[in-house]
Amino acid sequence: AQSVTQPDIHITVSEGASLELRCNYSYGATPYLFWYVQSPGQGLQLLLKYFSGDTLVQGIKGFEAEFKRSQSSFNLRKPSVHWSDAAEYFCAVGASGATNKLIFGTGTLLAVQP
Amino acid sequence: DAGVIQSPRHEVTEMGQEVTLRCKPISGHNSLFWYRQTMMRGLELLIYFNNNVPIDDSGMPEDRFSAKMPNASFSTLKIQPSEPRDSAVYFCASSVTSGGGETQYFGPGTRLLVL
């Protein structure tokens, strides 16, 4: 069965510092992988997704993620964090079959220090 | 496009009362998902519909929960009777489903508090 692990529950970075959020997945084939962001009191917004092709994916708000099959990882990165990036970040894997069902990780809460 | 619309945005009710949450998906989307988010359990998929038909309701916690999708532009999630442990944020999401991997678009959520 598919699963997603986000090992970091909470991360604090300084504004302007680089960021990497970890995501590991379990899946038997080439997965569909997603990163969503949830700002306080809001719904989830798609940052980026991977389903084939170039393993480095660019998303909105200056985020990128790299699919590494050998490590079963899809880590999210940003070279310079802004205070407005403070939010909760969710990694998700698409379930098998044409169902569009997503399996979400437990999320990583990002705090940004001035 | 207006995005996924959910109502109400906030609901406070007393234990034992019936609660109905509503969702209008993005026009043209053929899949609809109901999620529940709590601190303890994170984001859980409750049920999803494809072309108005429930496909997987294995996440529905118990018989007190029911969901319907009478047409392509409207869905409800009902809790009867409600209990304090149902307090959570309930999200609706929609997508166009063809071969898999399509993006789900989330509504703003309904924050439910059962006293």
Side-chain angles (χ1 to χ4, degrees), chain A residues 38 42-44, chain B residues 4-11 19-23 33-38 42-47 59-61 64-66 77-79 82-93 106-114:
Chain A
Q38 184 181 25
Q42 303 296 315
L44 279 72
Chain B
V4 176
I5 299 172
Q6 292 187 247
S7 64
R9 292 293 308 276
H10 303 273
E11 178 81 29
V19 175
T20 299
L21 311 182
R22 298 173 176 80
C23 176
F33 306 81
W34 282 102
Y35 291 89
R36 178 173 67 176
Q37 186 178 41
T38 62
L43 196 61
E44 305 173 275
L45 177 65
L46 299 178
I47 185 171
M60 295 286 264
R64 296 185 298 106
F65 285 70
S66 62
L77 178 67
K78 186 175 294 187
I79 308 173
S82 58
E83 297 182 3
R85 59 188 168 133
D86 302 329
S87 297
V89 182
Y90 291 82
F91 289 103
C92 176
F106 282 74
T110 295
R111 190 173 298 271
L112 174 65
L113 178 61
V114 183

Side-chain angles (χ1 to χ4, degrees), chain A:
Chain A
Q2 298 92 348
S3 66
V4 177
T5 301
Q6 293 181 249
D8 303 307
I9 297 173
H10 185 270
I11 284 182
T12 301
V13 298
S14 298
E15 191 168 15
S18 63
L19 171 71
E20 182 168 22
L21 303 183
R22 296 183 291 165
C23 173
N24 292 97
Y25 67 90
S26 172
Y27 191 75
T30 299
Y32 301 115
L33 293 163
F34 303 77
W35 275 100
Y36 281 84
V37 61
Q38 184 181 25
S39 298
Q42 303 296 315
L44 279 72
Q45 180 185 21
L46 180 72
L47 282 176
L48 47 80
K49 69 178 182 180
Y50 169 82
F51 55 93
S52 67
D54 193 344
T55 57
L56 185 63
V57 181
Q58 302 296 321
I60 62 171
K61 304 184 181 186
F63 285 92
E64 66 178 25
E66 187 171 12
F67 169 59
K68 293 185 177 180
R69 184 189 303 276
S70 61
Q71 299 177 17
S72 298
S73 69
F74 189 56
N75 293 350
L76 183 71
R77 301 194 294 250
K78 186 170 185 177
S80 177
V81 170
H82 188 262
W83 64 266
S84 60
D85 294 324
E88 190 157 20
Y89 292 80
F90 293 90
C91 182
V93 62
S96 58
T99 65
N100 226 26
K101 182 176 174 179
L102 294 180
I103 309 299
F104 281 89
T106 51
T108 298
L109 186 62
L110 173 65
V112 180
Q113 289 181 334

